């Protein structure tokens, strides 16, 4: 399982764009990159997933360079409600059995 | 979207008693379910993986006789903490992996169960 490295914490003001980078140097060919958001005392919530280049949905964008050894989650114009822990996970997305390992995550604090 | 529920959402029990936590996939069939434990200010730690109709696979350091997992149907997995002790107090989270699901999401997580052992 690919190990991931993220900053432990980040602060941002409301309305700013936040970019959280995750390193995964030993990512495998069939691995996808998935980001989850977790609020205190809640289960993780899926944000976005990608394999290469750029993926965008209604809440975030995911940038993946050609070597796929890192990825960046971009949250546009954050609000106070975006204060949470963000996890970057790497693993295969096919087949019935797979397990992923959660890293430390990045605690994002949005400041008014 | 796919929804996973857990019951109860929180439980307080006396030391030495057993507690059962249910994890249900509400609108899809889950061939694989995962159980995690999360201590305060820490990340999720995978405890075990259960596949419907077969024995669970436990992670290293997790006692299978203490944390009994049953995945009897494609929509239900249970985790029983036997002879609970205060150090078992934690936030338990399950997730489910759906068979043949077209979406790219890897796992669907439940809301978690807070266990407090007195």
């Amino acid at each position: 399982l690919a190990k991931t490295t993220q900053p432990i914490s980040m602060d941002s003001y409301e309305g700013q764009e936040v970019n959280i980078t995750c390193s995964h140097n030993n990512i495998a060919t069939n691995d996808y990159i998935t980001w989850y958001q977790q609020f205190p005392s809640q289960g993780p919530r899926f944000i976005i997933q990608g394999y290469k280049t750029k993926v965008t949905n209604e809440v975030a964008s995911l940038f993946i360079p050609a070597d796929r050894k890192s990825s960046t989650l971009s949250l546009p114009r954050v609000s106070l409600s975006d204060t949470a822990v963000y996890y970057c996970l790497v693993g295969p997305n096919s087949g019935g059995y797979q397990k992923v390992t959660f890293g430390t995550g990045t605690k994002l604090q949005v400041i008014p | 979207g796919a929804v996973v529920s857990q019951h109860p959402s929180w439980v307080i029990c006396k030391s030495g008693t057993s507690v059962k936590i249910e994890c249900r996939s509400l609108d899809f069939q889950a061939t694989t379910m995962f159980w995690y434990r999360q201590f305060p200010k820490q990340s999720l730690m995978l405890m075990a993986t259960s596949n419907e109709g077969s024995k669970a696979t436990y992670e290293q350091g997790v006692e299978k006789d203490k944390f009994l997992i049953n995945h009897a149907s494609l929509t239900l997995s249970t985790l029983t903490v036997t002879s609970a002790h205060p150090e078992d107090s934690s936030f338990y989270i399950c997730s489910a992996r759906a068979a043949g699901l077209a979406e790219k999401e890897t796992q669907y997580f439940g809301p978690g169960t807070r266990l407090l052992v007195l």
Side-chain angles (χ1 to χ4, degrees):
Chain A
L1 299 173
K3 180 181 177 181
T4 60
T5 303
Q6 304 173 231
I8 296 296
S9 64
M10 294 180 68
D11 292 339
S12 176
Y13 288 103
E14 268 191 301
Q16 289 190 331
E17 177 184 78
V18 171
N19 295 308
I20 306 174
T21 297
C22 178
S23 296
H24 28 80
N25 291 318
N26 58 340
I27 188 170
T29 303
N30 60 341
D31 284 343
Y32 281 72
I33 301 155
T34 309
W35 286 80
Y36 286 88
Q37 175 192 56
Q38 187 183 28
F39 297 112
S41 297
Q42 294 187 26
R45 183 177 73 97
F46 171 84
I47 300 175
I48 197 167
Q49 183 182 79
Y51 183 81
K52 61 180 179 180
T53 63
K54 176 183 176 181
V55 179
T56 297
N57 62 21
E58 62 275 10
V59 298
S61 295
L62 179 60
F63 300 92
I64 305 168
D67 65 5
R68 304 201 326 123
K69 293 183 183 299
S70 67
S71 59
T72 299
L73 174 71
S74 181
L75 304 173
R77 299 179 298 282
V78 294
S79 63
L80 295 176
S81 62
D82 293 319
T83 294
V85 178
Y86 293 83
Y87 293 98
C88 161
L89 277 69
V90 174
N93 191 35
S94 60
Y97 168 83
Q98 63 160 356
K99 66 176 184 180
V100 292
T101 301
F102 279 79
T104 58
T106 298
K107 184 175 182 179
L108 172 65
Q109 180 69 52
V110 180
I111 307 166
Chain B
V3 178
V4 176
S5 70
Q6 284 184 238
H7 178 80
S9 56
W10 59 271
V11 57
I12 302 174
C13 70
K14 293 182 179 180
S15 184
T17 60
S18 295
V19 174
K20 180 185 286 188
I21 302 171
E22 292 185 349
C23 177
R24 294 182 184 271
S25 55
L26 298 185
D27 49 3
F28 67 98
Q29 293 184 328
T31 53
T32 304
M33 287 185 168
F34 304 88
W35 286 95
Y36 295 84
R37 180 167 52 181
Q38 186 175 34
F39 293 107
K41 300 187 184 301
Q42 294 187 21
S43 184
L44 282 76
M45 292 173 48
L46 180 65
M47 298 175 67
T49 302
S50 72
N51 293 294
E52 186 267 335
S54 63
K55 291 183 178 180
T57 301
Y58 291 81
E59 294 299 301
Q60 190 173 7
V62 178
E63 300 175 56
K64 63 179 181 180
D65 295 329
K66 180 171 182 61
F67 299 99
L68 302 178
I69 292 173
N70 184 281
H71 191 164
S73 76
L74 286 173
T75 59
L76 173 64
S77 176
T78 60
L79 168 67
T80 301
V81 183
T82 62
S83 187
H85 289 106
E87 57 265 31
D88 298 323
S89 298
S90 188
F91 191 51
Y92 292 86
I93 306 170
C94 73
S95 71
R97 173 82 169 103
L101 202 64
E103 289 89 327
K104 296 179 180 179
E105 186 172 340
T106 57
Q107 295 180 30
Y108 302 90
F109 286 85
T113 296
R114 177 75 60 190
L115 170 63
L116 177 61
V117 184
L118 301 177

